[in-house]
Amino acid sequence: MIVVMKPEATKEQIRHAVERVQEMGLKAILLEGTNRNVIAVIGDKRETAQEILAAIPGVERAVPILAPYKIASLEVKRERTTIPLGSGVIGGRRVAVIAGPCSVESRAQLLEVAHAVKEAGALGLRGGAFKPRTNPYSFQGLGRTGLEYLAEAREATGLAVVTEVLSPEQVELVAEFTDVLQVGARNMQNFHLLREVGKVQKPVLLKRGFAATLEEFLLAAEYILTQGNAHVVLCERGIRTFEDHTRNTLSLSMVPTLNERSHLPVAVDPSQGTGKSSLVIPMSRAAVAVGADALLIEVHPDPERALTDGAQSINIPQFQLLMKALRPIAQAIGREL
Amino acid sequence: MIVVMKPEATKEQIRHAVERVQEMGLKAILLEGTNRNVIAVIGDKRETAQEILAAIPGVERAVPILAPYKIASLEVKRERTTIPLGSGVIGGRRVAVIAGPCSVESRAQLLEVAHAVKEAGALGLRGGAFKPRTNPYSFQGLGRTGLEYLAEAREATGLAVVTEVLSPEQVELVAEFTDVLQVGARNMQNFHLLREVGKVQKPVLLKRGFAATLEEFLLAAEYILTQGNAHVVLCERGIRTFEDHTRNTLSLSMVPTLNERSHLPVAVDPSQGTGKSSLVIPMSRAAVAVGADALLIEVHPDPERALTDGAQSINIPQFQLLMKALRPIAQAIGREL
Amino acid sequence: MIVVMKPEATKEQIRHAVERVQEMGLKAILLEGTNRNVIAVIGDKRETAQEILAAIPGVERAVPILAPYKIASLEVKRERTTIPLGSGVIGGRRVAVIAGPCSVESRAQLLEVAHAVKEAGALGLRGGAFKPRTNPYSFQGLGRTGLEYLAEAREATGLAVVTEVLSPEQVELVAEFTDVLQVGARNMQNFHLLREVGKVQKPVLLKRGFAATLEEFLLAAEYILTQGNAHVVLCERGIRTFEDHTRNTLSLSMVPTLNERSHLPVAVDPSQGTGKSSLVIPMSRAAVAVGADALLIEVHPDPERALTDGAQSINIPQFQLLMKALRPIAQAIGREL
Amino acid sequence: MIVVMKPEATKEQIRHAVERVQEMGLKAILLEGTNRNVIAVIGDKRETAQEILAAIPGVERAVPILAPYKIASLEVKRERTTIPLGSGVIGGRRVAVIAGPCSVESRAQLLEVAHAVKEAGALGLRGGAFKPRTNPYSFQGLGRTGLEYLAEAREATGLAVVTEVLSPEQVELVAEFTDVLQVGARNMQNFHLLREVGKVQKPVLLKRGFAATLEEFLLAAEYILTQGNAHVVLCERGIRTFEDHTRNTLSLSMVPTLNERSHLPVAVDPSQGTGKSSLVIPMSRAAVAVGADALLIEVHPDPERALTDGAQSINIPQFQLLMKALRPIAQAIGREL
């Protein structure tokens, strides 16, 4: 930690700040600059919150040197984590495609999509049984029945199931049916939920909050990891910006940056990340090219009759085209699909 | 709803879109423009999701005319809502000040602050017993013990207690001790939590998510209102932007805009909204001047030793100055404090 | 400057980085931390760009300690700057109100507004003769004729004239007619224009770019100051965020923060800053309460027939109400208006 | 245009709004909804500003149906525009790579880079002679001498030269030496400069402003096109968001969206768009995969000694790797490089 004193800080304030650092059991080195005084804080307490030092009188700001996450960090674990997904893994040479409807709407709808995406090469089946909806009057999902259809579709196709869990008390139920627990963007900082999914022995796909920084994203993963669940997939799904030509701004630079900082595999959701079906294929190409380990794709047999997110869902022939388009790109970067 | 067709939409697509609107039991009026065709959709179904119409082939976009919230809307209820707070109300002539430490740290700390803010003119006592922390290694609050201290401080001072609830299963416990349930910014779209606090007969102070639009904010309130709890206070607490001179950008235009759209009272949190103690007094002055019904202020007897948020907490003498500074501003706009 | 080395930086890289710092004539202090190595760089060269140090192999990032602006800084000049404006100043006890139409549309329109705002207590007259328009097909202003009308309105009323200059080659012409040269938000980083207005002996009202940080804003002022023109007013006019209930997000925390960093006076533009006439009065109240030295208000005799920005213009009776509302707020903070 | 009346709009206000539309020579169709009244405005005047209708009393908002740009629009010109670049074009089957140093620093530096990038397969040479710098104390470029070195490098290598023009009065000078005039992000709404480069018979590479929407970007292009210069390349270079792991957020969804709306070719700048050399290769792969027609890459023989932007520049061996990595991706989408 580097503590920058205000230009007008008094000698007394500087002395006091040095003492406060020492009180915390840390080493303080005072650097007297030409215009400013700075205290370098040395020690092993990563958890020494920046906020504590920033509140000392005469301190302008405290600049952390170490990242606040540990278990998620590449400094702590150098080998890349791979996560089992049905017959394959997320984080291996093969780019894992997880496809399916935004919401499970009926048994027939789900089975139709599941067979089609399986045949086209998907490894996982996505589909929401419990839906987080901005509007209380919107369709909220089939609930437990939706989970049963998902399990049936897994039996029928061999696809691994990925579905969202909305609340701590749902974790047990959802974990019974699914292969991967999805934590949605709106819940990325629902810390009770993060702790609960951390206690389950099922992989977690953690979506980035739509206004979360990289550090907050990795700290959310850290909540899960600290509970003993080592299987977390990080999923970039677009952030909120001033842009209005898409529903979100898909920030693909997160993929290589997360790879520089963390050993966890990284997925991309181009459907949520753009909100427009016409952009799903080009942005999926980009996501594979940038190095994503997995893609989440919304596929619906008849998007204009989808109960949720029709505008960003592609239909089955479009999904077949997508898979065909992605294969040579995966090969171009030494992967497969 | 206005459905804008793509410039290249075929006659067949336009005919199909009109039929789809009629299938939903709505009236469609086709407007043939010089360059574009537009379908005006008339009917009473506010819940007819924009997303359904936007997914019809040949449709460029669907523009809603009506706001998606109802009960929260000034169109539905014209009289301003007032919400009981201890010996006063939120939403009346008097600007309600709710002050206290970020976290309840000890019995002594809490009582000291409670007495001091009471004496300076506060109506409510804030203080976190359960803390949502970005970092899993940070102090997470005293929990139930913190709630007990809050209840004791209420007994001792007559201040109404405002404290945060983090999870649906905590609602019952927290409601037992507090006067107002606070839903934090990170939980503004935790829909399970919103529904649970909607079932309780205690007022809810709902903080704006740090990337929530006005519409999303009012829809979150609507979740609570639809469960039967009519007592919701909306609280602006700053949004995430590119600005780096403050922790958040406090968006004061929310106050008059919420007043144009909704009958619910509006609070402002200048402590969270700036992250810097030196800005709390000037931004509080601005919040009162713009028309806030209530203020949330973080006050700590010794901010540099606060376990959380010391940098944005003011001390007791500063709180006294704050109250003194706000009174003439309240009077200048025909209110009191 | 603090140079943070990557965790995997080699001893050789660290040695090399220290040498590079020394080559620049600066002192390097190596701090060996538990997990990271950090080099504290001490010396007087503020201009030693962060970017140069950040490019050294093995360096993770370079954190500047000193602000990059000098002349604009409160560290360099402690006394507050006041700037002459007609019969008063900007930066004194009196809050200066500068009002007038978005665009000068005709002699009659301008004189009507000028007389009305003068009578209501304005010190300055604003009005665009050259208009920066997003759309090339929109009205671009009356040009030189507009300047002549502004000069005539000054003669008739005694108001000081504030008008925008768009391009370096216009500076001489506009300076001939105006009292204050306005540099618009879109030109805040038009460095040629900044240099030209820095060479003129007329005050400059510099609007914050709509995506400029505080530091970039002060560096833009520094461009003007380095040319010898000491009379710069900084104007907050709203930033671009994800918010959609206003045209911009007016960031009032800029006012006290600029006052903490710089001696230059600060104005606020609530018309541009909200884009809605109904918000101009409440946000003006807030701007005065937070400590603004001046306000820019768009006033039009008949806003619905304004050629530009009608939706954010208030009419003359509304301006009279505004002035009446602001006086007690100014008094409440020890100022007048 | 769709004019949405406020819920409380009176009959008189509605009648008045209809008349105002008709006064403008447009057809008004009043749609009486269940809760709201809406006026559909039909006619050919694209320039009828939304702002004029929005200012009519009783109007809540005016929603434009047509895009405000014309010449840039795919509705007006269906064939894709290609733009000559040295021995090739931008907008053809071959992805054009334009590489070179951020700033021209010396004759030797420029020639070394030029020969190297030519050999590796670049079509164009980038390099700044006039530099827009946020900080007035930073290196501002070699000026005319830099232009001369660029011209010499073109002679020596056959590469087309792309360099920035900062100010209207520089256009003639820069056009004399360069093949393509670059307008930088900070100048995207410098309308005088846009008009001047529109009068020259040299292609213009227009960078997106870092807070510009898609519509504002195309309107900036329209300024150039209306002056008679049909050769505009649109360049995505990252936007300003809350993200702090990169200098900007590179928004790759702009590429396919621009292709849906406009016939102009689209370039991407991954160096500016990330600010980090380690991200340039992965984000370049993504840019080619998403469909960019051209890439701008900052290459420096010794990035740590670059006078500007060293942290985002790659060196010559890295550029060779980049080109090698991009070729199979270009092939995977049916293009070459």
Side-chain angles (χ1 to χ4, degrees):
Chain A
M1 193 80 66
I2 298 293
V3 175
V4 181
M5 302 303 295
K6 288 181 185 166
E8 69 272 19
T10 61
K11 285 199 170 168
E12 178 51 35
Q13 284 180 324
I14 293 165
R15 205 181 47 74
H16 174 72
V18 167
E19 282 172 12
R20 290 282 291 134
V21 169
Q22 291 165 342
E23 268 176 44
M24 294 178 207
L26 300 164
K27 190 174 164 192
I29 298 176
L30 177 62
L31 301 165
E32 298 185 47
T34 323
N35 295 281
R36 285 294 179 93
N37 290 292
V38 162
I39 301 164
V41 178
I42 294 178
D44 201 26
K45 298 198 184 175
R46 235 176 241 258
E47 58 271 39
T48 302
Q50 182 183 359
E51 53 183 324
I52 294 180
L53 295 168
I56 299 173
V59 169
E60 187 178 280
R61 63 201 155 106
V63 183
I65 300 302
L66 295 180
Y69 44 87
K70 296 181 208 176
I71 313 179
S73 164
L74 205 57
E75 295 180 46
V76 166
K77 174 170 183 284
R78 302 288 318 171
E79 331 71 80
R80 298 270 152 205
T81 295
T82 60
I83 286 165
L85 184 79
S87 58
V89 296
I90 300 179
R93 191 167 176 275
R94 179 173 175 191
V95 180
V97 176
I98 300 162
C102 176
S103 298
V104 179
E105 296 172 6
S106 72
R107 190 173 168 278
Q109 171 238 27
L110 188 67
L111 286 171
E112 179 181 356
V113 174
H115 283 291
V117 302
K118 167 72 180 182
E119 194 164 329
L123 256 183
L125 175 66
R126 54 150 296 153
F130 296 100
K131 297 298 301 173
R133 304 307 304 277
T134 301
N135 188 327
Y137 306 112
S138 301
F139 173 64
Q140 309 274 330
L142 294 184
R144 190 192 166 95
T145 307
L147 295 176
E148 289 167 356
Y149 294 158
L150 285 164
E152 185 181 345
R154 174 179 45 212
E155 292 312 304
T157 60
L159 292 166
V161 167
V162 179
T163 198
E164 184 163 355
V165 57
L166 290 179
S167 196
E169 70 268 24
Q170 275 178 0
V171 170
E172 200 179 296
L173 172 68
V174 177
E176 196 185 312
F177 289 93
T178 196
D179 298 292
V180 176
L181 290 155
Q182 180 177 315
V183 173
R186 288 178 189 78
N187 279 320
M188 192 203 82
Q189 294 194 315
N190 182 335
F191 304 118
H192 281 235
L193 179 58
L194 296 178
R195 281 215 193 81
E196 285 310 306
V197 299
K199 292 173 189 161
V200 171
Q201 290 315 310
K202 286 272 166 97
V204 177
L205 185 133
L206 176 66
K207 290 203 157 185
R208 179 186 185 187
F210 55 78
T213 61
L214 180 131
E215 192 169 294
E216 290 166 344
F217 192 15
L218 285 171
L219 281 169
E222 189 89 0
Y223 262 94
I224 301 168
L225 298 169
T226 55
Q227 299 302 314
N229 188 343
H231 284 161
V232 177
V233 183
L234 303 166
C235 182
E236 162 65 29
R237 48 75 74 204
I239 56 169
R240 182 153 282 180
T241 70
F242 66 85
E243 290 200 315
D244 53 8
H245 72 278
T246 44
R247 188 163 155 186
N248 295 289
T249 296
L250 192 65
S251 179
L252 290 177
S253 69
M254 275 299 263
V255 179
T257 309
L258 285 169
N259 285 337
E260 289 177 0
R261 312 267 180 98
S262 176
H263 50 84
L264 298 171
V266 183
V268 170
D269 183 339
S271 304
Q272 283 287 338
T274 63
K276 289 201 180 162
S277 58
S278 68
L279 300 178
V280 171
I281 292 184
M283 291 304 278
S284 295
R285 292 195 313 248
V288 170
V290 88
D293 295 307
L295 293 184
L296 263 79
I297 308 286
E298 294 188 14
V299 180
H300 194 284
D302 186 6
E304 74 163 304
R305 284 186 167 78
L307 295 181
T308 54
D309 279 353
Q312 71 197 33
S313 297
I314 59 174
N315 62 26
I316 291 168
Q318 287 167 331
F319 181 72
Q320 293 160 342
L321 282 175
L322 169 77
M323 293 299 282
K324 212 173 140 185
L326 297 183
R327 273 192 193 97
I329 298 197
Q331 283 160 15
I333 59 162
R335 298 182 84 156
E336 60 190 47
L337 182 128
Chain B
M1 193 77 67
I2 298 294
V3 175
V4 181
M5 302 302 295
K6 287 182 184 166
E8 69 272 20
T10 61
K11 285 199 171 168
E12 177 50 34
Q13 285 180 323
I14 294 166
R15 204 180 49 72
H16 173 72
V18 167
E19 283 173 11
R20 289 282 291 133
V21 170
Q22 291 165 342
E23 267 177 44
M24 294 177 207
L26 299 164
K27 190 173 163 191
I29 299 175
L30 178 62
L31 301 165
E32 298 186 46
T34 324
N35 295 282
R36 284 295 179 93
N37 291 292
V38 162
I39 301 165
V41 178
I42 293 179
D44 201 26
K45 298 196 187 176
R46 234 178 242 258
E47 59 271 40
T48 302
Q50 182 185 359
E51 54 183 324
I52 294 179
L53 294 168
I56 300 173
V59 169
E60 187 178 278
R61 64 198 152 108
V63 182
I65 300 301
L66 296 181
Y69 44 88
K70 295 182 209 175
I71 313 180
S73 164
L74 205 57
E75 296 181 45
V76 166
K77 174 169 182 286
R78 300 291 314 173
E79 329 75 77
R80 297 271 153 203
T81 294
T82 59
I83 286 165
L85 184 79
S87 58
V89 296
I90 300 179
R93 189 166 177 276
R94 180 172 174 192
V95 180
V97 175
I98 300 162
C102 176
S103 299
V104 179
E105 296 172 7
S106 72
R107 189 172 166 278
Q109 171 238 25
L110 188 68
L111 286 171
E112 180 182 355
V113 174
H115 283 291
V117 302
K118 167 72 181 184
E119 195 166 327
L123 256 183
L125 175 67
R126 53 151 297 152
F130 296 101
K131 297 298 303 173
R133 304 308 305 275
T134 301
N135 188 326
Y137 305 111
S138 301
F139 173 63
Q140 309 274 330
L142 295 184
R144 189 192 168 96
T145 306
L147 296 176
E148 289 166 356
Y149 294 157
L150 285 165
E152 185 181 344
R154 174 179 44 211
E155 291 314 302
T157 60
L159 292 167
V161 167
V162 180
T163 197
E164 183 162 356
V165 57
L166 289 179
S167 195
E169 70 270 22
Q170 277 178 355
V171 171
E172 202 178 294
L173 172 67
V174 177
E176 195 184 313
F177 289 93
T178 197
D179 298 291
V180 177
L181 290 155
Q182 180 177 315
V183 174
R186 289 178 188 78
N187 278 320
M188 194 203 82
Q189 294 195 316
N190 182 337
F191 304 118
H192 280 235
L193 179 58
L194 296 178
R195 281 217 192 79
E196 284 312 305
V197 298
K199 291 174 189 159
V200 171
Q201 289 315 310
K202 285 273 166 97
V204 177
L205 186 133
L206 176 66
K207 289 205 157 184
R208 179 185 185 188
F210 56 76
T213 62
L214 180 132
E215 192 169 294
E216 290 166 345
F217 192 15
L218 286 171
L219 282 168
E222 190 89 359
Y223 261 94
I224 300 169
L225 298 170
T226 55
Q227 300 302 313
N229 187 344
H231 285 161
V232 178
V233 183
L234 303 166
C235 182
E236 163 65 26
R237 48 76 72 206
I239 55 170
R240 182 152 282 179
T241 70
F242 66 84
E243 289 200 315
D244 52 9
H245 71 280
T246 44
R247 188 163 155 187
N248 295 288
T249 296
L250 191 66
S251 180
L252 289 178
S253 69
M254 275 299 264
V255 180
T257 309
L258 285 170
N259 284 337
E260 290 177 359
R261 312 271 177 97
S262 175
H263 49 84
L264 297 171
V266 183
V268 170
D269 183 338
S271 304
Q272 283 286 339
T274 63
K276 289 200 180 161
S277 59
S278 68
L279 300 178
V280 171
I281 292 184
M283 292 305 277
S284 294
R285 292 195 315 247
V288 170
V290 87
D293 294 307
L295 293 186
L296 263 78
I297 307 287
E298 294 187 15
V299 180
H300 195 284
D302 187 6
E304 76 163 302
R305 284 186 166 78
L307 295 180
T308 54
D309 278 354
Q312 71 198 33
S313 297
I314 58 175
N315 61 26
I316 290 167
Q318 287 168 330
F319 181 71
Q320 292 160 343
L321 282 176
L322 169 77
M323 293 300 282
K324 210 174 142 186
L326 296 184
R327 277 196 189 94
I329 299 198
Q331 283 161 17
I333 60 161
R335 298 182 86 156
E336 60 189 47
L337 181 127
Chain C
M1 193 80 66
I2 298 294
V3 176
V4 182
M5 301 303 295
K6 290 182 183 165
E8 69 271 21
T10 61
K11 286 200 172 168
E12 176 52 35
Q13 284 179 323
I14 294 165
R15 205 181 48 74
H16 174 71
V18 167
E19 284 172 11
R20 289 282 290 133
V21 170
Q22 292 166 341
E23 268 177 44
M24 294 176 206
L26 300 164
K27 191 175 162 191
I29 298 175
L30 178 63
L31 301 165
E32 297 185 48
T34 323
N35 295 282
R36 285 296 179 93
N37 291 291
V38 162
I39 301 165
V41 178
I42 294 179
D44 200 25
K45 297 197 186 175
R46 236 176 240 259
E47 58 271 41
T48 301
Q50 182 182 0
E51 54 183 323
I52 292 179
L53 294 168
I56 299 174
V59 169
E60 187 178 278
R61 64 201 153 106
V63 182
I65 300 301
L66 295 181
Y69 45 86
K70 295 181 209 176
I71 313 179
S73 164
L74 206 56
E75 296 180 45
V76 167
K77 175 172 182 284
R78 302 287 317 169
E79 330 74 79
R80 299 269 152 205
T81 295
T82 59
I83 286 165
L85 184 78
S87 58
V89 297
I90 300 180
R93 192 168 176 274
R94 179 172 175 191
V95 180
V97 176
I98 300 162
C102 177
S103 297
V104 179
E105 297 172 4
S106 72
R107 191 173 166 278
Q109 171 239 25
L110 187 68
L111 286 171
E112 179 181 356
V113 174
H115 281 291
V117 302
K118 166 73 181 181
E119 195 166 328
L123 256 183
L125 174 67
R126 54 149 296 151
F130 297 100
K131 297 298 302 171
R133 304 307 304 277
T134 301
N135 187 326
Y137 306 112
S138 300
F139 173 64
Q140 310 273 330
L142 294 184
R144 189 191 168 95
T145 306
L147 295 176
E148 289 166 357
Y149 294 158
L150 285 164
E152 185 181 346
R154 174 179 45 212
E155 292 311 305
T157 61
L159 292 166
V161 167
V162 179
T163 198
E164 183 163 357
V165 57
L166 290 179
S167 196
E169 71 267 24
Q170 274 177 357
V171 171
E172 199 178 297
L173 172 67
V174 177
E176 196 185 314
F177 289 93
T178 197
D179 297 292
V180 177
L181 290 155
Q182 179 177 314
V183 173
R186 290 179 188 77
N187 278 321
M188 193 203 81
Q189 294 194 316
N190 181 336
F191 303 117
H192 280 235
L193 179 58
L194 296 177
R195 282 216 192 80
E196 285 310 306
V197 298
K199 291 175 190 160
V200 171
Q201 289 316 309
K202 285 272 166 99
V204 177
L205 186 133
L206 176 66
K207 291 202 155 186
R208 180 185 184 187
F210 56 78
T213 62
L214 179 131
E215 191 167 295
E216 290 166 344
F217 191 16
L218 285 172
L219 281 169
E222 190 89 359
Y223 261 95
I224 300 169
L225 298 169
T226 54
Q227 299 302 313
N229 188 343
H231 285 161
V232 177
V233 183
L234 302 166
C235 182
E236 162 66 29
R237 48 75 74 203
I239 55 170
R240 181 153 283 177
T241 71
F242 67 85
E243 290 201 314
D244 52 8
H245 71 279
T246 44
R247 189 163 153 186
N248 296 288
T249 295
L250 191 65
S251 180
L252 289 178
S253 70
M254 275 298 263
V255 179
T257 309
L258 285 169
N259 284 337
E260 289 177 1
R261 312 271 179 97
S262 176
H263 50 84
L264 298 171
V266 182
V268 170
D269 182 339
S271 305
Q272 284 286 338
T274 63
K276 288 201 181 161
S277 58
S278 68
L279 301 177
V280 171
I281 291 184
M283 292 303 278
S284 294
R285 292 195 314 248
V288 171
V290 88
D293 294 306
L295 293 185
L296 263 80
I297 308 287
E298 293 189 13
V299 180
H300 195 283
D302 186 7
E304 76 163 303
R305 284 185 167 79
L307 296 180
T308 54
D309 279 352
Q312 71 197 34
S313 297
I314 58 175
N315 62 27
I316 289 167
Q318 287 167 331
F319 181 71
Q320 292 161 342
L321 282 176
L322 169 76
M323 293 298 282
K324 212 174 140 185
L326 296 184
R327 274 193 193 96
I329 298 197
Q331 283 161 16
I333 60 161
R335 298 183 84 156
E336 58 190 48
L337 181 130
Chain D
M1 193 78 66
I2 298 293
V3 175
V4 181
M5 301 303 295
K6 289 181 183 165
E8 69 272 20
T10 61
K11 286 202 171 168
E12 177 51 33
Q13 284 180 323
I14 294 166
R15 204 180 50 71
H16 174 73
V18 167
E19 283 172 11
R20 290 282 291 133
V21 170
Q22 291 165 341
E23 268 176 43
M24 294 177 207
L26 300 164
K27 191 174 164 190
I29 298 175
L30 178 62
L31 301 165
E32 298 185 46
T34 324
N35 295 282
R36 285 295 179 94
N37 291 291
V38 162
I39 301 165
V41 178
I42 294 179
D44 201 25
K45 296 194 186 178
R46 234 178 240 256
E47 59 271 40
T48 301
Q50 184 183 357
E51 55 182 324
I52 293 180
L53 294 168
I56 299 174
V59 169
E60 187 177 279
R61 63 201 153 105
V63 182
I65 300 301
L66 296 180
Y69 43 86
K70 295 182 208 175
I71 312 179
S73 164
L74 207 56
E75 296 179 45
V76 166
K77 175 170 181 286
R78 300 292 314 174
E79 328 76 76
R80 296 272 154 203
T81 295
T82 59
I83 286 167
L85 184 80
S87 59
V89 296
I90 300 179
R93 191 168 176 276
R94 181 173 174 190
V95 180
V97 175
I98 300 162
C102 176
S103 298
V104 179
E105 297 171 6
S106 71
R107 189 172 167 277
Q109 170 238 28
L110 187 69
L111 286 172
E112 180 182 356
V113 175
H115 282 291
V117 302
K118 167 72 182 184
E119 196 166 325
L123 255 183
L125 174 67
R126 54 150 296 151
F130 296 101
K131 297 297 304 173
R133 304 308 303 276
T134 300
N135 188 327
Y137 306 111
S138 301
F139 173 63
Q140 309 273 331
L142 294 184
R144 190 191 168 97
T145 306
L147 295 176
E148 288 167 356
Y149 293 158
L150 286 164
E152 185 182 343
R154 174 179 44 214
E155 292 313 303
T157 61
L159 292 166
V161 167
V162 179
T163 198
E164 184 164 356
V165 57
L166 290 180
S167 195
E169 70 269 24
Q170 274 178 358
V171 172
E172 200 177 295
L173 172 68
V174 177
E176 196 185 312
F177 288 93
T178 196
D179 298 291
V180 176
L181 290 156
Q182 180 177 316
V183 174
R186 290 179 187 77
N187 278 321
M188 193 204 83
Q189 295 195 314
N190 181 336
F191 304 118
H192 280 235
L193 178 59
L194 297 178
R195 281 214 192 82
E196 284 311 304
V197 297
K199 291 173 188 161
V200 170
Q201 289 316 307
K202 285 274 165 96
V204 177
L205 186 132
L206 176 66
K207 291 204 156 184
R208 180 186 184 187
F210 56 75
T213 62
L214 181 131
E215 192 168 294
E216 289 166 344
F217 191 16
L218 286 172
L219 281 169
E222 190 89 2
Y223 261 93
I224 301 169
L225 298 169
T226 54
Q227 300 302 313
N229 187 343
H231 284 160
V232 177
V233 183
L234 303 166
C235 182
E236 162 65 27
R237 48 76 73 205
I239 55 170
R240 181 153 282 179
T241 71
F242 66 86
E243 290 200 315
D244 52 8
H245 71 279
T246 44
R247 188 164 155 185
N248 296 288
T249 296
L250 192 65
S251 180
L252 290 178
S253 69
M254 275 300 265
V255 178
T257 309
L258 284 170
N259 284 337
E260 290 177 1
R261 312 270 178 98
S262 176
H263 50 83
L264 297 171
V266 182
V268 171
D269 182 338
S271 305
Q272 283 287 337
T274 63
K276 289 202 180 158
S277 57
S278 68
L279 300 178
V280 171
I281 291 183
M283 292 303 278
S284 294
R285 292 194 314 247
V288 170
V290 88
D293 294 307
L295 292 185
L296 262 78
I297 308 287
E298 293 188 14
V299 179
H300 194 284
D302 186 7
E304 76 163 301
R305 285 187 165 78
L307 295 181
T308 55
D309 280 353
Q312 70 197 34
S313 296
I314 58 175
N315 62 26
I316 289 167
Q318 287 167 331
F319 182 71
Q320 291 160 343
L321 282 175
L322 169 78
M323 293 299 282
K324 212 174 140 185
L326 296 184
R327 275 193 191 97
I329 299 197
Q331 282 160 18
I333 59 162
R335 297 181 84 155
E336 60 190 47
L337 182 127

